DNA sequence: AATAAATACGTGTATATACATTTAATTTGG
DNA sequence: CCAAATTAAATGTATATACACGTATTTATT
């Protein structure tokens, strides 16, 4: 008989070896930073077998979202999670691996249009399968609690003017 | 009359130009990554006037926590939020700025013990004042909601075995 | 139309992460 | 007690972030 077990997440206190926090809000800030690092590490592990980094995967996903339409660098950048991502340089690496193609736009020669190649799509689909599999299996958070989490995360970004 | 106003946080959908998410959990994952980036960007702005990066500030805080005790590189690393931080290299930069001192441990010559200098403490205290000021003013999240947020973040890291 | 301003992208530099390898010191096991 | 294993830190390399700056092109202004 197969028995499901759940590993208790390592408490933040253990993870960063600190027990005293100025407040729960302060702890939450550190917790968000730690959880983001943890999430990135988890996906990086999966993506490694496909020779992709987290950021390269993200760019491929963005391009696939518009496929077969092309996207210029600025459009890709506006959809990146980390807003200071240097998209031209990430595209450099994807181009070397022949996962995307880069061309000067004929409508506006300042723009570079990027297209995901067939190889890019194939690799993205294979890796997305694995990523989604993990996503659906790994996270034990019920949908309604995820809704709450999303609300709280929005609230923490509310700033006084 | 001074009137307090609160800027509504930019919705995740706007921030990353996406409207469709596979689920609320999937959205929450992207939301955590985005919020972590946003938080880091906010502190980086404050720390810039002190010539510190987020990571250098973090190392100084860790050293101050044990001061006047010394800490070895491994102990500092175990308290870092991002577990793959390359502490020797961050210490290189702090040493150049004379904010820390580095010596070989006499008890175990493999270890390097690091001490925060008086200049380091002064800079840390000045920057912490500004950082805490922002923290207490900026975040509009009530303590009890921060407790919930911390619980949910712990839950998302629960994994099936 | 000619010039100025703005825009898109690429590139340079400093810092950081991720991870493998090297070196020196210490611990362990025969 | 010594060889092997382990440990701590430093270092090398690839990738990414943060940000300034340069260049080409387009748009706006006079």
């Amino acid at each position: 008989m197969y028995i499901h077990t759940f590993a208790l997440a390592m408490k933040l206190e253990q993870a960063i070896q600190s027990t005293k926090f100025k407040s729960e809000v302060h702890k939450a800030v550190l917790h968000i930073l730690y959880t983001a690092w943890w999430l990135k590490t988890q996906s990086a592990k999966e993506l490694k077998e496909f020779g992709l980094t987290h950021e390269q995967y993200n760019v491929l996903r963005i391009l696939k979202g518009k496929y077969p339409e092309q996207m210029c660098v600025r459009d890709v950048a506006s959809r990146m999670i980390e807003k200071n991502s240097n998209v031209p340089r990430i595209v450099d690496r994807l181009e070397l691996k022949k996962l995307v193609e880069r061309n000067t736009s004929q409508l506006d020669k300042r723009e570079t249009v990027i297209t995901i190649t067939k190889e890019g799509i194939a690799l993205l689909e294979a890796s997305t399968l694995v990523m989604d599999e993990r996503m659906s299996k790994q996270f034990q958070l019920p949908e309604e609690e995820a809704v709450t989490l999303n609300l709280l995360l929005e609230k923490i970004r509310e700033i006084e003017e």
Side-chain angles (χ1 to χ4, degrees), chain A:
Chain A
M1 190 172 81
Y2 183 76
I3 301 179
H4 270 268
T5 56
F6 298 99
L8 213 71
M10 192 194 275
K11 293 233 180 238
L12 180 67
E13 286 84 347
Q14 283 174 269
I16 65 169
Q17 300 280 306
S18 317
T19 47
K20 286 169 283 188
F21 301 101
K22 291 201 184 78
S23 66
E24 284 291 323
V25 173
H26 183 239
K27 180 176 168 181
V29 167
L30 300 181
H31 211 155
I32 291 165
L33 296 176
Y34 175 72
T35 308
W37 170 80
W38 185 85
L39 288 168
K40 276 202 244 184
T41 303
Q42 297 281 118
S43 3
K45 248 185 278 175
E46 302 278 6
L47 290 171
K48 209 170 176 182
E49 65 170 300
F50 300 98
L52 290 174
T53 66
H54 195 259
E55 297 73 16
Q56 289 167 14
Y57 177 75
N58 202 9
V59 169
L60 288 181
R61 290 268 301 206
I62 289 168
L63 291 170
K64 174 91 182 310
K66 283 275 177 179
Y67 186 83
E69 248 180 88
Q70 295 179 322
M71 292 182 83
C72 68
V73 172
R74 190 179 43 79
D75 285 348
V76 173
S78 75
R79 284 172 169 76
M80 296 292 282
I81 292 172
E82 319 223 342
K83 293 301 169 194
N84 293 312
S85 291
N86 200 324
V87 176
R89 233 127 38 182
I90 298 174
V91 171
D92 284 347
R93 273 134 219 162
L94 292 172
E95 200 184 16
L96 274 173
K97 288 186 274 195
K98 306 207 184 302
L99 302 174
V100 304
E101 268 174 35
R102 190 162 20 190
N103 291 102
T104 302
S105 164
Q106 287 314 303
L107 286 105
D108 182 340
K109 293 198 185 75
R110 291 171 303 181
E111 288 184 351
T112 300
V113 289
I114 307 159
T115 327
I116 186 168
T117 62
K118 292 223 184 305
E119 295 95 308
I121 290 177
L123 190 65
L124 180 66
E125 282 174 351
S127 50
T128 299
L129 260 179
V130 174
M131 295 283 275
D132 287 357
E133 171 86 351
R134 178 179 65 89
M135 178 86 81
S136 66
K137 272 199 183 165
Q138 176 172 285
F139 297 114
Q140 305 302 327
L141 197 70
E143 282 290 284
E144 63 272 21
E145 296 190 13
V147 173
T148 307
L149 179 50
N150 281 314
L151 285 171
L152 293 173
L153 289 171
E154 216 158 82
K155 211 161 170 179
I156 213 164
R157 282 185 294 110
E158 270 171 22
I159 59 172
E160 193 174 358
E161 296 233 305

